[in-house]
Structure formats: structure tokens, C-alpha cells
Amino acid sequence: MSNESPTVVKGEGPVTLSPSGSTPSQGSPLSPTSSSKGPELPEELLQAGWARCWSKRENRPYYFNRFTNQSLWEMPVLGQHDVISDPLGLNAAPVEGGECNLGNGQRKRKISEEVEAEANSFKRAKSQSTAPSTPSTPNTPGGKPWSSAPEDKQTQSTPSVAPGPSPAPYRPAVVYWDLEIPTNAVIQQRPPDPQLPPHPEVELQRAQLVTKLRQHYVELCYQREGIEPPRESFNRWLLERKVIDKGGDPLLPSDCDPVISPPMFREVMNDIPIRLSRIKYKEEARRQLFRYAEAAKKMIDSRNATPHSKKVVKWNAEDTMNWLRRDHSASKEDYMDRLEHLRKQCGPHVTEVAKDSVEGICSKIYYISVVYSRRLKDAHTALMKEYNLSEGCEPPEVQDRLVYCYPARLACPSPPQPRVELHFENEMACLRYKGEMVKINRGHFSKLELLYRYSCIDDARFEKFLSRVWCLIKRYQVMFGRGVNEGTGLQVALPELVFEVLHKQFGVSFECFASPLNCYFKQFCSAFPDTDGFFGSRGPFLSFRPASGSFEANPPFSEELMDAMVTHFEDLLDSSTEPLSFIVFVPEWRKPATPALTRMEGSRFLRHQLTVSAYEHEYRSGSQHICKKEEMYYKAVHGTVVFFLQNSAGFSKWEPSAERLAEFMSAYQSSSSRPGPAPNPWNLMIKHRQVQRRGRRSHMVVSFTDPVVSMDLLRAVLQPSFNDDIIAVFRKYQQFLDKAAENVKENVGDDVQTDHLITDTCRNLLEQAKQMFPEAESKGARPGVEANIKRSRQTDDDSTHRGSPIPKKRKGRPCAPAATFDRPLTYSAPSKPKASEPVRRDGPKWDPNRLNDGSTFVLGSRANKALGMGGTRGRIYIKHSGLFKYAADAQDKHWLAERQHMRATGGKMAYLLIEEDIQDLSRSDDYKECPDLRMEELKPFSVPIWMVEKMQRAMEAQRSEAL
């Protein structure tokens, strides 16, 4: 029976007075058919939306409500809980019995009286509370309509097929939420939100435009200031803009005052003239000081600065460079003090000359966002008109009364949704629309299904579920970026143990800043009411005005957003006489202190304040819906300050007493001391330490603070794992080695020893691999250090050879000469230069002036393949050591990855070669007859002028070293 009209779970919020549910299409096997058999319904029931329908499979009538999508076997009874007049059931009489009722005293329609309902329920025990009744049936019997194919629906409507038991729902191994906790937040009933309903087509266009806007931001920073955009500054710009934005787009700002964003201006200006990174060692401090002085001098010369500014900056920069040339014995602290002094002297002048340029970047990004938001508005309006849906729906009248908070509703009805494909890959659910795929783990996918059942009122058949999930995930993916770990710090959540204590001790049942992906309770506020309202969101918190309740607030770490949050808190606490409590978690930023931190410390509503030290507590990852289980939690690198803001009634009800605070802190300690994953050799860290050894005369102290010794200790720890990996690599290619050795034996004769031949080949492979790590010039190692290294190598000899694929040589036994079997080649291979021969780096090919903005370059890996040497990585650098190659740094690799020239893979080396040099090699006698020549693999590209300048400096340095 559920295939015709599935069992419906009552939503927890009021139904919109103007019905927005989509009427089932005609001819659909899931549409209820009206019946003329039996008596007609009373006029009161017809006005309430009820109709008498006929079930072809069960061959009996049932009753269907077109407003609420409810279906009953018995005739509805008016006068009890009616979801139209009393949506929350506050005035309904309690219903006796344990059966789940629909609020009007009637029993839900079930498939053959709900076979095995107990076996399919996986909810927790409900908390004792006097809150309104909440849904208690998390799974839909008879399968999931949103995952059924069209041919399945035709099969389900066949009356001859007997319904079977419900399939067991997916049960997550670990649950990070509790959706059974009812709310205690009371609000004034409010009208529906005027935003347009989400649609995958519009959301896909929004994703493309936001990605394009991010690219504009990157290019503006490179072109105008020659810097890489500050990390996640675009994400913080979106958060700050939405605090003051009055435009209609849910994501892109379009009506902001002022136009220039203070945080974006501040963050870009901090990276001018160079970005200052964290310094660990003395050499890094020296190098950073020199780079800052050089960049400041170059910038003040190239800009329209006043004579006084040029004089001050040049004098300080030259004085710093002279000091660096004179003093080579300075400590790290000396370099840091000098850098701070240089910034104080040059910073105001550098800021003055760069101010107009940075303001131009901020205003340009904003005005492009305005244009994009208008384009999205036009596209969305055209889509609504295509389905004959009006854009400006008249909101229904709202009664002036207090109700429990309910999910955000949209005033406009939702248009028909396109098909979204769903498939599962191991533990991930993959949703695809027009080639754009989003992923979510199966546990959180099941959570979204439960939230949708509890909150959505216009899609009881789950026909729009997949498209709305796709829009939801795509929206957050676009907002926080697609880089590795990008945006995860802006949507972190508290551990579930902390939430449990907050609910138990302080009555917390509501999150002020969350999303359907990371919420713990089913009632929360989020940034996007249009996509999140179907999953329980109450809308943005800054427009949410509760009259009473207990709330948890863990805002994104944006200073402007946190400051607006404090203003909203004080306004709510000052205007309400009912119990109202806010427990706020903010980072302990003291240098300088943020305005939000300072204001809450001096607030008259502050009842208690405590600080949790850094590295002694943890957060749940903001990407918990896609990350691995072992990456779900991470230690907080900063302290967290917890504020208890309460009015008088809230303090009387939820006072932060010593016992409650003790249990709260113990929950924090318990969550941070959970057992971690099994030890991994890659996670081991050799700390610099001192080992005391007993001597005959005195205690000898041997210091292991030398970097060479420390790295050799690390090598000793990692060596067994390296050996295992090397064995795995050789086993992967063992069949090729065996086959080649057997062919050689058949062609040459039985005198060939295949084992020795394979062994020599393995050795040659390892020797060639060593060429990728050239030896650095030794600077006269101390004898004591050399002795320590030799001693450690002797002790680690067994671990070094353990698991090696090459047999260990026995002393005193001569090694058999290696047989060589050279065959004539179809082309003459260039010979590798001997170590004693110097590499020539002169002539027109090593002239830095040949590089300009019109030069084209290729990746070394592609050049290797193009010249027919794709089987051996880095072979081109060995055979042609006279070629100019440029090692790309982090900034260059980011630029290359942004333009899909290379993959964004961690610490992988990337070399750039000049295309002209590779073309000349391909036309030479060494390669023009090569059958494996594939010049189409080159795929040349141009680079910006700032990268060309770095290549010119690198070419000059390499040429000078050769001379």
C-alpha cells in the first residue's frame, strides 16, 4: 500500500498556510486515485484537503490529504490535533497507547499492518520531556521511493505482488548526533522565507560562477601585487559579506555597505610585500629577513611613492642587507627582532603605496559578485516562469503567538526537480547531476534522510530528496572551496560527549551555528534557509529571535560575524523575561584581542567564563561527512574560551554551578583522551634528546641535536618500512624481469644465470633511482659526528638489509662477473656524461634574456614521455644534464595546479623545461629516428611574468655555479 501512498511522518513545524506541496502528476502509479464509491466526505473535511480515494491493490478505500500528504484507512475526525490549525500540537489532548498517531486520533496507513516494524527501527530511547511529540518512525516501509527507478514503480503497482517486509535501513557504526532530543526554544510565529526554492540547474550555475569569482581573485592578487591570495581569505570574505548583505542571493553578496571588505583588505595587505611564514630555524629567519628587505625596496621603486617614503624604505632595506653580509653569527632571535624593526619602519610606507591597488582588488571582486548574483536571479526567475510558478508569492497571514521553533519554510512552491543519479562506492554515497558529482559517507546520508523525514512537509514520497541533497552538498562545497582541508576550520563542531553534557546539565537543545552535515541536534540555525530548511534548519541565526530556551553557539571564526553575534545575544537577553541561555565557544585570540572576546568579558549577562588550554581539547572536523574516521577529530591549536551568557530567569534555571562545570570539563577531557589509531611508522617523530652514558671517570653526555644525526635516527626507524615498500615494487615488476631473463637465456645460451642477471638489474634500478637525490656539498663534518653516524649505521645494518630483494653478499666469496648482452639500437642513445666531465652551461641557451612573457614551457615528466623515455622517471635529466630545468616552488606548483597543468599532490617535485630546447632535441640525430617519439605529449604553456623572472634568476645562478 505504501507504493501508492507511503506512510507519512508528521513534520515538526507548522504547515505553510499557502500549500507548497507538489501535487502528484497524473498517470503516475504513485498518485492516489479519487473514488466515487461510498458516501461523500463532509464539507469540513473537503475544505481541510481530504479526499476519498481507492486502493487498487488492497481493493478498499482510503483517505488522502492533498495539503499534508497524509493517508488514512479510516475517515478523518475533526476536533482533535489538526496540523492546519494547530501545527505543533500544543492544544491537542494526549493520546493513550504507544502507537504513533498523526494528531487527529487516526491510525496511519501501513503495509499489511507494518510487518516487522520493531526490527527496522534503530532510534535511541527518547528523553523525558514535555516538548511536543516528535517523529518516531525513521524508516519508510516498503523500500525507499527516492531510489526507485521508473520501471520499479510500474512493478510495484501490480496488484498481484504481495508486499514483503521492509528492508533494514543503513545503520552507521558510529553516530555523531542525537536527533531524538526535542527542542525547548520558543519563538514568535513567523512568515515563510521569500527566497526561491533550490534547483540543481541553478545551483550548478552558481557553483560555476563562484569558482570563476575565486579565479578572478587569484589572478588579481598575482597581477597587481605578485602574491598568492591569503589562504581561505575568500571564504572569510563570504562570511563577512553575508553579515551585512541585503541582497537576494543566498551565497554571493550583492548589496553591501561598505563595498570594500575590511577583512579582505587587511589580509591581503598583511602579505605585502611578501607573506611571512612561521619560522622554526635560524636559516629560515635569515632568508625571510633578506626577502622582505629585497621585496620592500623593489616595491617602493616600482610604485608612485613620495620621495620621503622612498628614502626611508631604501635606507632601511640597504642597512638590513649590509648587516646580513657583515654578521654571520646572529641567532634566530636577532633575525626576528631585526625583521620586526624593519616591518615597523617600512610597513606604513609600503601600505600607503599599495592601498589603492588592494582596494581595487576588493571592490573589483565585489562588483563582479553583484553581476553574477543578477545573472543567477534572472536564471532562477526564468526557471520558475517555465513551470508557471510566480516568483513573488504572497505570504500567508501569521498569528501573533509563541510556538516551539520549527524549520524554515519557503513561500514559493518548489518546481519539479530533475533526475539525480545515486550510487554507492564502499562507504560513500555518490550523487551525480550533469557530470557533477558530490560525495557523502553513508552514515551522514542516512542522517540527512532522517532530518528530511522530520522536517520536510511538501515531499512525503521523497521524489525531490536526491536533488535537494545534491543542492545542499554542492552549496557548502562551493562556499568553502574544493582544496585539501579548505574550509574545514570554519565549520568545526564540538565532540558529541560535550553536547551530551550540555543537554544534560544545561538543557541545551539548539545549535546557533551549524548545518545539516555537522549538526548534533535536529534543531539548529544555518546559513542557507533555502537548501537547509528541508533538513531542519531554522534559518540564519542573526535573523532568529527566540523568546526562551538554552542554546549552544560555536560560530565560524570570523571576527565580524562573532561581533555581530554578540550584539544579537545582548539584544535577545535584554528583551526577554523568559529563561534564556547562550553557551558560547570562541577562540582565545589575545594578540590582539578580538572585539567579540572583549565585549563578552565585559557583558552584564556574563555568568561564568572558563578557558580550555590549547592541545588539551579537540573539535570534530568540518568535513566530517566525507573524511575518514581517523581524521574525524583534531586537536585545537589555540585555546577556547567558553562564556555563559544568561538573563536572570535563565541563570535561575541553568546556573553554571561547580558540579555542572566539573562534569562539563570532564567531558572535554574524556573526548580529547580517546584512543587513537594504531601506531604508524610514518607518524613517528624523533625528538632531539640527550642520552646519558656511564663512564669510568665521569658521566659522558652525547648530544643528539645535530641535524645529520637526527635524520639518520629517523632513517633507522623508517628503513624497515622502506624495505617493505621496495619489495612490493619489485614484486609488481617481477614477472617482467623473469620473462626478460628467460628470453635472454633462450637467445644467448644456457650459460646465463638468470638469478644473477635479475639481481644486477635490480641493483642498477636502485642506482639509477639515486640520481634523483643528488648529494649536497659537504661542509666539513665534525669527526665526532661522523663517528656517531658510523656507529648508528653499524647498529642498524640488520634493519637496513632486512627484507631487501638483493641477496646479501658473503665475505671472502668472489662475485660472479655480470654478463652483458648488448643489442644494436635503432637510434643512437646519447651517452651519459662522466662525473669528472664538467657540465657546460654557457652559450645562447643559457642566456636569461631569452626568457620572456612569450616563452613556452613544458613539464619535465611530459618531456620525458615525448622523447620516448616514459618508462624511467627523470631519465631526461641524466642524459641531458646541460638542459636548463627550473624546480617549481610551492607558489609555482599552486599556479600550475590551478590551471590543470599538474596535479595538486603534496610534496611532489615539478621541473619546468623550455619547449624550444625539447623541440631541438627531437630534431637532433639522437632522436629523429626514435620510434617512441611522441611530441604531442608536450602540451606547452605560458607562465606569468613573475614566474619568468624567477626562472631568469635561477638560470643565472645555475650558470654562475658551472663557471
Side-chain angles (χ1 to χ4, degrees):
M1 197 65 196
S2 63
N3 297 328
E4 298 179 5
S5 181
T7 302
V8 178
V9 178
K10 170 175 66 66
E12 60 175 293
V15 179
T16 308
L17 299 181
S18 174
S20 60
S22 59
T23 304
S25 59
Q26 295 181 359
S28 173
L30 296 180
S31 301
T33 57
S34 299
S35 172
S36 59
K37 303 178 182 180
E40 294 294 334
L41 291 176
E43 186 65 25
E44 296 82 0
L45 292 179
L46 291 176
Q47 292 180 0
W50 289 100
R52 180 185 172 89
C53 305
W54 186 262
S55 172
K56 295 181 180 180
R57 191 184 64 200
E58 298 291 337
N59 198 25
R60 59 168 171 163
Y62 68 95
Y63 301 90
F64 178 77
N65 191 311
R66 61 187 177 91
F67 292 160
T68 63
N69 287 338
Q70 297 182 25
S71 53
L72 304 174
W73 286 122
E74 295 84 2
M75 180 181 293
V77 178
L78 295 178
Q80 297 188 19
H81 174 210
D82 185 11
V83 294
I84 300 296
S85 61
D86 188 14
L88 293 178
L90 301 178
N91 301 322
V95 181
E96 297 181 358
E99 188 176 6
C100 179
N101 295 331
L102 293 179
N104 53 8
Q106 301 302 312
R107 184 165 53 90
K108 295 187 298 183
R109 264 176 75 213
K110 303 180 181 180
I111 297 182
S112 301
E113 302 304 318
E114 198 80 358
V115 179
E116 296 182 3
E118 292 292 331
N120 293 330
S121 179
F122 55 97
K123 67 184 185 67
R124 302 182 183 180
K126 301 181 72 172
S127 303
Q128 299 295 331
S129 177
T130 59
S133 59
T134 55
S136 59
T137 308
N139 59 311
T140 300
K144 298 180 180 179
W146 44 263
S147 61
S148 300
E151 57 271 12
D152 297 336
K153 296 182 180 180
Q154 298 176 3
T155 305
Q156 293 169 358
S157 62
T158 305
S160 59
V161 179
S166 306
Y170 178 79
R171 303 184 181 183
V174 182
V175 179
Y176 303 99
W177 52 83
D178 188 351
L179 305 182
E180 296 295 329
I181 298 177
T183 182
N184 57 11
V186 177
I187 62 173
Q188 193 81 18
Q189 191 170 355
R190 53 184 181 175
D193 196 286
Q195 289 194 20
L196 297 178
H199 192 276
E201 190 65 34
V202 179
E203 206 60 42
L204 181 60
Q205 185 176 357
R206 179 178 287 109
Q208 295 170 352
L209 292 178
V210 173
T211 303
K212 193 174 181 180
L213 185 61
R214 288 178 181 270
Q215 186 63 32
H216 280 305
Y217 180 47
V218 174
E219 292 175 355
L220 284 173
C221 289
Y222 276 132
Q223 293 172 1
R224 299 196 178 189
E225 298 299 334
I227 62 171
E228 183 179 353
R231 178 175 172 81
E232 298 195 20
S233 61
F234 188 87
N235 300 335
R236 286 185 286 270
W237 175 75
L238 287 177
L239 289 173
E240 181 269 338
R241 294 282 90 180
K242 295 311 293 182
V243 174
I244 61 176
D245 183 36
K246 300 177 182 178
D249 192 85
L251 182 58
L252 288 173
S254 57
D255 186 6
C256 299
D257 186 24
V259 172
I260 298 175
S261 171
M264 176 179 281
F265 178 86
R266 183 172 60 247
E267 292 185 36
V268 175
M269 192 64 73
N270 285 340
D271 285 358
I272 295 176
I274 64 169
R275 173 178 297 177
L276 300 178
S277 58
R278 293 184 179 180
I279 298 175
K280 295 183 179 179
Y281 306 107
K282 183 181 74 172
E283 291 301 324
E284 293 180 358
R286 177 185 176 89
R287 190 181 308 114
Q288 190 158 277
L289 175 60
F290 179 81
R291 289 178 57 240
Y292 187 92
E294 185 182 34
K297 181 181 178 182
K298 182 178 179 180
M299 180 177 180
I300 208 70
D301 285 335
S302 60
R303 301 294 177 92
N304 188 17
T306 62
H308 176 70
S309 297
K310 289 184 177 181
K311 179 180 178 181
V312 173
V313 173
K314 283 185 177 181
W315 187 89
N316 282 278
E318 292 175 358
D319 181 66
T320 301
M321 292 180 181
N322 293 332
W323 179 77
L324 287 172
R325 296 187 188 101
R326 291 193 312 268
D327 194 348
H328 297 280
S329 60
S331 63
K332 171 189 170 183
E333 288 72 19
D334 295 335
Y335 292 127
M336 296 294 292
D337 294 341
R338 189 82 184 196
L339 178 60
E340 186 65 24
H341 172 75
L342 185 62
R343 290 188 64 190
K344 289 182 179 179
Q345 295 296 323
C346 301
H349 304 282
V350 171
T351 301
E352 186 65 27
V353 297
K355 179 181 178 181
D356 294 339
S357 176
V358 177
E359 287 181 349
I361 294 175
C362 299
S363 59
K364 182 75 171 179
I365 293 299
Y366 171 75
Y367 287 124
I368 295 176
S369 174
V370 172
V371 174
Y372 287 171
S373 63
R374 292 174 183 171
R375 191 181 304 177
L376 289 171
K377 178 72 172 179
D378 295 340
H380 211 158
T381 304
L383 180 68
M384 298 292 288
K385 291 181 178 179
E386 182 180 349
Y387 293 103
N388 297 324
L389 297 174
S390 59
E391 175 189 354
C393 302
E394 183 178 355
E397 296 182 1
V398 178
Q399 301 180 13
D400 185 13
R401 60 171 184 169
L402 294 175
V403 295
Y404 285 152
C405 68
Y406 53 90
R409 307 300 187 200
L410 299 180
C412 297
S414 178
Q417 301 291 314
R419 177 180 175 83
V420 174
E421 299 175 1
L422 169 68
H423 69 277
F424 294 96
E425 296 178 0
N426 297 328
E427 292 297 316
M428 301 298 294
C430 306
L431 293 88
R432 185 188 301 272
Y433 174 72
K434 287 190 175 182
E436 287 288 329
M437 186 170 65
V438 296
K439 294 184 178 182
I440 182 174
N441 62 54
R442 297 190 65 178
H444 282 75
F445 186 76
S446 175
K447 172 190 178 183
L448 291 181
E449 181 187 356
L450 292 177
L451 289 172
Y452 195 77
R453 293 181 192 278
Y454 290 156
S455 306
C456 182
I457 63 172
D458 67 342
D459 186 28
R461 305 174 190 279
F462 275 59
E463 295 171 345
K464 303 175 183 178
F465 173 72
L466 289 183
S467 62
R468 286 171 174 173
V469 170
W470 188 91
C471 292
L472 168 73
I473 301 176
K474 194 67 177 177
R475 177 74 61 83
Y476 282 97
Q477 183 186 82
V478 169
M479 180 179 184
F480 293 110
R482 306 183 67 171
V484 179
N485 296 327
E486 185 178 3
T488 57
L490 298 176
Q491 48 180 340
V492 296
L494 299 177
E496 61 272 15
L497 291 179
V498 178
F499 273 117
E500 291 178 2
V501 173
L502 289 177
H503 172 66
K504 178 182 177 182
Q505 298 296 332
F506 301 98
V508 173
S509 63
F510 194 103
E511 297 172 73
C512 297
F513 299 92
S515 73
L517 301 173
N518 67 356
C519 65
Y520 180 82
F521 306 107
K522 67 175 181 289
Q523 44 272 346
F524 56 90
C525 280
S526 65
F528 310 115
D530 57 335
T531 56
D532 301 355
F534 302 108
F535 302 91
S537 171
R538 272 58 174 168
F541 177 72
L542 296 182
S543 59
F544 183 74
R545 300 192 62 83
S548 66
S550 183
F551 302 85
E552 175 268 347
N554 180 27
F557 297 160
S558 168
E559 294 187 21
E560 289 73 17
L561 178 59
M562 290 189 292
D563 191 34
M565 172 196 70
V566 177
T567 302
H568 192 56
F569 282 159
E570 294 186 342
D571 184 25
L572 294 174
L573 292 168
D574 190 48
S575 60
S576 177
T577 57
E578 299 296 324
L580 194 59
S581 172
F582 295 99
I583 303 179
V584 191
F585 297 77
V586 294
E588 190 181 18
W589 292 342
R590 301 285 187 183
K591 298 179 181 180
T594 60
L597 195 66
T598 305
R599 291 178 59 190
M600 283 191 289
E601 287 179 337
S603 175
R604 64 189 180 92
F605 299 104
L606 179 63
R607 305 299 177 176
H608 190 77
Q609 172 185 345
L610 57 89
T611 303
V612 187
S613 303
Y615 300 101
E616 294 183 3
H617 64 294
E618 61 187 7
Y619 286 100
R620 264 189 301 146
S621 172
S623 59
Q624 58 181 275
H625 60 286
I626 55 175
C627 70
K628 300 177 182 179
K629 293 181 180 179
E630 56 270 19
E631 300 173 354
M632 184 66 69
Y633 298 91
Y634 66 91
K635 295 287 185 182
V637 297
H638 53 75
T640 298
V641 186
V642 185
F643 294 96
F644 292 80
L645 303 179
Q646 300 168 335
N647 59 7
S648 301
F651 179 72
S652 302
K653 188 172 183 179
W654 300 297
E655 177 186 359
S657 60
E659 295 79 8
R660 290 174 173 175
L661 293 175
E663 187 166 352
F664 170 76
M665 291 303 297
S666 65
Y668 244 140
Q669 296 172 359
S670 300
S671 62
S672 61
S673 61
R674 59 169 47 88
N680 190 331
W682 307 107
N683 294 332
L684 295 177
M685 180 176 65
I686 303 295
K687 295 183 178 180
H688 297 292
R689 63 192 185 275
Q690 289 187 346
V691 181
Q692 293 189 358
R693 298 181 179 178
R694 288 277 183 178
R696 290 187 178 181
R697 297 183 179 179
S698 62
H699 296 289
M700 296 183 297
V701 179
V702 181
S703 175
F704 280 78
T705 59
D706 190 274
V708 179
V709 179
S710 300
M711 294 305 295
D712 194 69
L713 290 173
L714 177 63
R715 193 268 319 157
V717 174
L718 299 180
Q719 190 68 51
S721 298
F722 269 101
N723 291 345
D724 294 339
D725 293 341
I726 293 173
I727 290 175
V729 172
F730 277 102
R731 286 174 180 171
K732 179 180 178 181
Y733 298 98
Q734 187 67 35
Q735 56 179 341
F736 304 101
L737 298 175
D738 294 341
K739 186 65 176 178
E742 290 297 329
N743 291 340
V744 171
K745 186 175 182 179
E746 291 177 4
N747 296 334
V748 178
D750 295 335
D751 296 337
V752 177
Q753 298 181 3
T754 56
D755 294 338
H756 289 199
L757 191 62
I758 293 175
T759 300
D760 292 337
T761 305
C762 293
R763 287 182 176 275
N764 291 334
L765 289 172
L766 295 176
E767 288 295 328
Q768 291 295 328
K770 289 170 58 178
Q771 301 296 331
M772 294 186 295
F773 305 94
E775 296 183 1
E777 296 181 1
S778 60
K779 297 183 180 180
R782 296 186 301 273
V785 174
E786 185 67 25
N788 289 333
I789 297 176
K790 290 182 179 180
R791 187 181 299 112
S792 64
R793 287 177 179 172
Q794 292 174 2
T795 57
D796 297 326
D797 183 64
D798 294 337
S799 66
T800 304
H801 195 81
R802 184 176 59 203
S804 174
I806 303 174
K808 187 176 181 180
K809 292 186 178 181
R810 298 179 180 271
K811 293 184 179 181
R813 185 175 179 178
C815 180
T820 59
F821 308 97
D822 297 329
R823 295 185 178 183
L825 300 176
T826 56
Y827 67 99
S828 60
S831 59
K832 175 184 173 182
K834 296 182 181 180
S836 58
E837 297 178 359
V839 179
R840 297 190 59 185
R841 294 176 178 173
D842 53 7
K845 287 186 178 295
W846 282 88
D847 184 9
N849 295 325
R850 67 179 292 216
L851 302 180
N852 51 53
D853 54 355
S855 303
T856 55
F857 304 87
V858 296
L859 287 176
S861 57
R862 291 193 176 276
N864 205 61
K865 294 179 182 178
L867 296 178
M869 296 180 288
T872 305
R873 181 183 176 186
R875 190 177 179 187
I876 186 175
Y877 311 132
I878 301 172
K879 289 188 175 182
H880 305 286
S881 56
L883 281 178
F884 167 72
K885 64 176 181 179
Y886 170 70
D889 58 15
Q891 182 184 12
D892 304 329
K893 287 190 286 186
H894 178 78
W895 185 90
L896 293 171
E898 286 286 335
R899 286 151 183 81
Q900 285 81 40
H901 294 312
M902 63 172 292
R903 296 179 180 177
T905 51
K908 180 180 178 182
M909 287 296 297
Y911 290 102
L912 298 185
L913 306 179
I914 305 174
E915 183 199 10
E916 182 183 358
D917 296 347
I918 307 303
Q919 295 288 356
D920 293 341
L921 279 178
S922 66
R923 292 189 290 266
S924 65
D925 295 336
D926 296 330
Y927 291 96
K928 65 181 180 180
E929 299 296 334
C930 176
D932 297 328
L933 198 66
R934 294 182 298 174
M935 299 305 294
E936 67 275 3
E937 288 284 341
L938 284 182
K939 298 182 180 180
F941 53 88
S942 301
V943 299
I945 190 62
W946 54 266
M947 193 182 298
V948 173
E949 293 175 356
K950 291 199 292 186
M951 291 184 181
Q952 291 175 343
R953 292 194 294 267
M955 181 180 287
E956 182 66 29
Q958 294 180 25
R959 187 176 66 172
S960 302
E961 291 177 0
L963 296 177

